[in-house]
Amino acid sequence: MIEPIYVPILPTRPRAWKAFEALDTRLRSRIAPLWTIVPCVGPERARGERPALEPDDDRTVLEPWLVPLMDRLITAVDGAPGWIDASHVESQVRGSAVGLWRLATRSGLRLVTGPERDHTLQRYTADLAFQSGRGLGIRILVDEPPDERSSAALLGMVDRLCLPPSRTDLILDMGEITAGDETDKGAIAALDLLGTLLPWRTVVLASGAFPRFQEQGGAEFTHVVRRYDHQLNHLVHRSRPAFPRAVLYGDYSVEHVSAANIPPSKDPYGPPWGLLRYTTPDDFLIARAPMRGRARAERVRELARWITEYEGFRGAEFSEGERWLQACADGEGTKGSGNPETWMKVGHIQHMSFVVRRLMSAVE
């Protein structure tokens, strides 16, 4: 079996799993995504917010939504390795039972829990993971540098759930990185304190840098944003060259770090704007494109040309993402100009293809 070298954190949305399916087979074999099940309904969840156990939950809403979603994800990953985090739905034990059981028994994905979650839900997830035979992932949200209490909580959970470290993965999720913050110090502290705590099967260090654009008004624009997630990975490896085990690189691809905390939109008309996204070694290229109005397709194509004429564009042969962007830039009329879901899918394809190829070149 070829070992994965890249862990993108992806929401369970069609744009993400369709992008994964569209990747070149050789590249896909080196990727192990961490899928996060989005909430079914309700408001956006805050990072780290874990709802309390709902033993008497009504399964009539969640189960009919979750089961087909999980079946589609199982088809998309097609036995590929990775993880699945059900934090937004697991508290509804009855409603999530069938969907999570199918994931545990019919896919290659490993279930995920965390020290801050309800102990009953930790036990439930660990039991499902035991039934799957694939072990368990522990996702740590490192929003503050960890201390001795963090290590005690992690050790306590491992002991309570009787987890063998050789079948347990540690995923250190640093969240969003921005200019001037001290995420690098938190990442190094997490590796030193938690990464060496036990002989974990896998250690992942993940972070995100794609910005969030919440405003709905305004006009189209082009923007270049620094990729601090990429810089963090290099800084940590330079700071800890003798770390006792390999640390897998993870990021949020071209999603902002809160993307998986947002329930599906109920707007029948869709958003008025969307983002074309492109990844270079050090930056994200972002072009905000309209979905409505006169000459919409021509404006989208003009923004696609801004990307394809940028110095860092890799050419149409690099991946299906670059091919689509080039065809959009060169095309005419409305056909092939896409929509926000298409632009997001294309962004994921080019980003994941680029990152895993760079990682492959570093280890081969």
Side-chain angles (χ1 to χ4, degrees), residues 46-84:
R47 176 176 165 86
E49 177 185 355
R50 305 299 182 204
L53 178 67
E54 299 180 37
D56 299 320
D57 61 276
D58 181 2
R59 63 193 298 180
T60 60
V61 174
L62 181 60
E63 185 174 303
W65 172 82
L66 183 62
V67 171
L69 182 70
M70 295 301 94
D71 285 346
R72 181 63 183 88
L73 180 63
I74 291 168
T75 299
V77 299
D78 192 25
W83 296 268
I84 184 78

Side-chain angles (χ1 to χ4, degrees), residues 20-209:
F20 185 74
E21 289 178 305
L23 291 172
D24 176 88
T25 303
R26 179 168 176 257
L27 301 183
R28 193 166 62 241
S29 69
R30 308 306 303 272
I31 300 174
L34 167 56
W35 301 94
T36 302
I37 302 175
V38 299
C40 175
V41 295
E44 177 179 340
R45 309 299 194 265
R47 176 176 165 86
E49 177 185 355
R50 305 299 182 204
L53 178 67
E54 299 180 37
D56 299 320
D57 61 276
D58 181 2
R59 63 193 298 180
T60 60
V61 174
L62 181 60
E63 185 174 303
W65 172 82
L66 183 62
V67 171
L69 182 70
M70 295 301 94
D71 285 346
R72 181 63 183 88
L73 180 63
I74 291 168
T75 299
V77 299
D78 192 25
W83 296 268
I84 184 78
D85 189 341
S87 61
H88 296 316
V89 299
E90 65 184 1
S91 62
Q92 295 180 254
V93 174
R94 295 174 58 200
S96 64
V98 175
L100 297 185
W101 174 256
R102 293 194 183 199
L103 280 172
T105 58
R106 301 183 185 181
S107 77
L109 301 177
R110 302 167 186 170
L111 295 168
V112 167
T113 190
E116 77 286 355
R117 306 187 195 187
D118 184 279
H119 287 190
T120 300
L121 295 176
Q122 292 175 353
R123 178 76 271 167
Y124 175 53
T125 301
D127 288 345
L128 279 175
F130 175 79
Q131 294 291 330
S132 76
R134 289 185 296 277
L136 183 71
I138 299 176
R139 185 179 186 180
I140 309 290
L141 303 181
V142 189
D143 295 325
E144 299 290 340
D147 53 24
E148 294 302 324
R149 290 174 299 176
S150 307
S151 59
L154 181 54
L155 278 177
M157 185 185 73
V158 170
D159 290 341
R160 186 173 61 256
L161 300 180
C162 302
L163 302 177
S166 62
R167 299 185 63 77
T168 306
D169 311 300
L170 182 66
I171 303 168
L172 301 173
D173 181 355
M174 306 305 302
E176 183 181 17
I177 306 178
T178 58
D181 69 17
E182 296 188 343
T183 306
D184 53 342
K185 295 180 181 178
I188 293 170
L191 281 176
D192 289 345
L193 188 61
L194 306 179
T196 60
L197 198 60
L198 293 169
W200 309 107
R201 172 174 53 185
T202 308
V203 176
V204 179
L205 180 64
S207 60

Side-chain angles (χ1 to χ4, degrees), residues 296-359:
R296 183 201 70 85
E298 289 80 358
R299 292 156 74 187
V300 171
R301 295 189 191 283
E302 181 179 349
L303 294 169
R305 282 193 294 275
W306 173 73
I307 292 175
T308 59
E309 293 172 0
Y310 198 85
E311 183 181 2
F313 186 69
R314 292 176 286 276
E317 301 303 316
F318 188 84
S319 80
E320 183 64 21
E322 277 84 359
R323 187 208 63 77
W324 189 93
L325 285 165
Q326 191 68 66
C328 178
D330 295 342
E332 296 180 358
T334 59
K335 185 177 180 180
S337 59
N339 57 42
E341 280 292 304
T342 300
W343 303 335
M344 179 69 85
K345 172 189 169 184
V346 166
H348 280 309
I349 293 172
Q350 61 81 28
H351 178 92
M352 290 190 286
S353 298
F354 173 59
V355 170
V356 78
R357 282 185 172 180
R358 282 176 65 94
L359 293 172

